[in-house]
Amino acid sequence: MSHSVQAAPPVAVPSRITRSLPQRLLARPEVGALVAAVLIFVFFLAMAPAFRSAESFFTVLYQSSTIGIVAVGVGMLMIGGEFDLSAGVITTSAGLVNSMFCWYFGINLWVGALLSLVFCLFVGFVNGYLVMKTGIPSFLITLGTFFVLQGANLGLTKLVTGSVSSTDISQIDGFGSLNKIFASSFKVGPVTVWITVIWWALFVALAAWILQRTRIGNWFFAVGGAPDSARAVGVPVVKTKIGLFMTVSFLGWFVGMHTLYRFNTLQAGNGVGNEFLYIIAAVVGGTLLTGGFGNAIGVAIGAFIFGMTSLGIVYAGWDPNWFRAFLGVMLLLAVLVNLYIKRMSTARKVG
């Protein structure tokens, strides 16, 4: 009996040590995106001389941040097993509610910004509530919300202003302070740094901490990977998923505020199609479409790849129409890589 007890550890321990090192790397959701980002970065350094300057790099960061902020929320929602196809158009809805309400009634823009925030959170709540209470897939629920918001953006803007764009709000009280929060920039030597880059980094850090270090983060993975099991062990599945939808809407509001206070006016048709860019950033960053797997760092890398590519093609002097083709290829490759990494992760846990 003592012989069998002593013989077991030497067999098990070396197996775990030799398998864990490479598999831990492969099991990280962001590894595939990081490798792709490095390759794309080196490629554009070689092909586009204009890409090599510090100014160009921070322009790429700015471009990435405008997608990356909302993509953080979309990534967490996808980890939770759901989609939000209204995430793109709600950014425009947020800005239009703020600008048109304050312009029409002649009140401080801070009031409109808070009203816009309440509106966006309400939309997120409705999306989550309908998904959880009806059992209809989030793809269909949020597709319906997408069309409602898109039509309302165009119809109400034309009704209030007589055109499909909002009026200039730069002379309304509160513009200066809101511009500093959402759309300011500062110089670091010759480089212009937009504040959205700072906000993006903060949102990514907060999301990464929540996902990896908190019980709520564990709930996100649980409701995405096995909602029935999560419910059985006491996870508040309904509240968690509604909270994720509201998070996406909050971040959509934030980007809407940036767009409004940077350009002073908005086109009512803007934002359509951006929901796919958010999803692509999340998937390229290692988030599985089936839920329960991913992290915030990977989503940020996915958004950075978007920024590099969209501007790198321009800097290289190529036809920008190729950008969409590149996104499609990246999405297909990312799905295949993510499935492989998920299998490696599962093998590590079994081993």
Side-chain angles (χ1 to χ4, degrees), residues 76-82 132 216-231 233-242 244 290-293:
M76 289 196 295
L77 179 64
M78 289 173 62
I79 290 172
E82 306 294 346
M132 298 310 298
I216 294 176
N218 290 334
W219 291 351
F220 295 168
F221 287 102
V223 300
D228 293 334
S229 300
R231 188 177 288 107
V233 297
V235 174
V237 174
V238 174
K239 291 181 180 179
T240 299
K241 291 205 176 190
I242 290 176
L244 286 170
T290 52
F293 189 78

Side-chain angles (χ1 to χ4, degrees), residues 98-168:
N98 188 177
S99 62
M100 290 195 300
F101 181 82
C102 294
W103 173 78
Y104 189 81
F105 291 103
I107 60 177
N108 193 290
L109 287 168
W110 275 98
V111 177
L114 293 175
L115 177 66
S116 175
L117 174 59
V118 171
F119 168 78
C120 289
L121 292 176
F122 176 73
V123 171
F125 173 82
V126 170
N127 280 339
Y129 183 84
L130 290 177
V131 168
M132 298 310 298
K133 293 301 181 181
T134 65
I136 298 173
S138 55
F139 177 90
L140 294 176
I141 293 291
T142 58
L143 182 61
T145 306
F146 164 85
F147 284 117
V148 170
L149 292 177
Q150 183 187 22
N153 287 349
L154 292 166
L156 290 177
T157 302
K158 193 169 184 179
L159 180 66
V160 173
T161 68
S163 69
V164 292
S165 63
S166 64
T167 54
D168 190 324

Side-chain angles (χ1 to χ4, degrees), residues 163-199:
S163 69
V164 292
S165 63
S166 64
T167 54
D168 190 324
I169 60 165
S170 59
Q171 302 304 313
I172 301 178
D173 290 343
F175 179 85
S177 56
L178 286 164
N179 175 268
K180 288 180 181 178
I181 293 172
F182 294 107
S184 61
S185 62
F186 57 91
K187 286 282 190 178
V188 179
V191 173
T192 299
V193 181
W194 287 92
I195 197 168
T196 50
V197 175
I198 307 299
W199 282 116

Side-chain angles (χ1 to χ4, degrees), residues 39 86 185 190 212 258 287 307 316 347:
L39 292 175
S86 66
S185 62
Q212 301 300 324
H258 164 71
T287 306

Side-chain angles (χ1 to χ4, degrees), residues 33-93:
L34 181 59
V35 172
V38 171
L39 292 175
I40 293 169
F41 185 75
V42 171
F43 175 77
F44 281 119
L45 282 179
M47 299 300 296
F51 191 79
R52 301 166 192 168
S53 68
E55 294 92 333
S56 296
F57 179 75
F58 276 89
T59 302
V60 167
L61 284 180
Y62 168 69
Q63 181 81 347
S64 303
S65 70
T66 59
I67 294 297
I69 289 174
V70 184
V72 170
V74 170
M76 289 196 295
L77 179 64
M78 289 173 62
I79 290 172
E82 306 294 346
F83 294 91
D84 189 347
L85 295 183
S86 66
V89 73
I90 201 173
T91 61
T92 303
S93 299

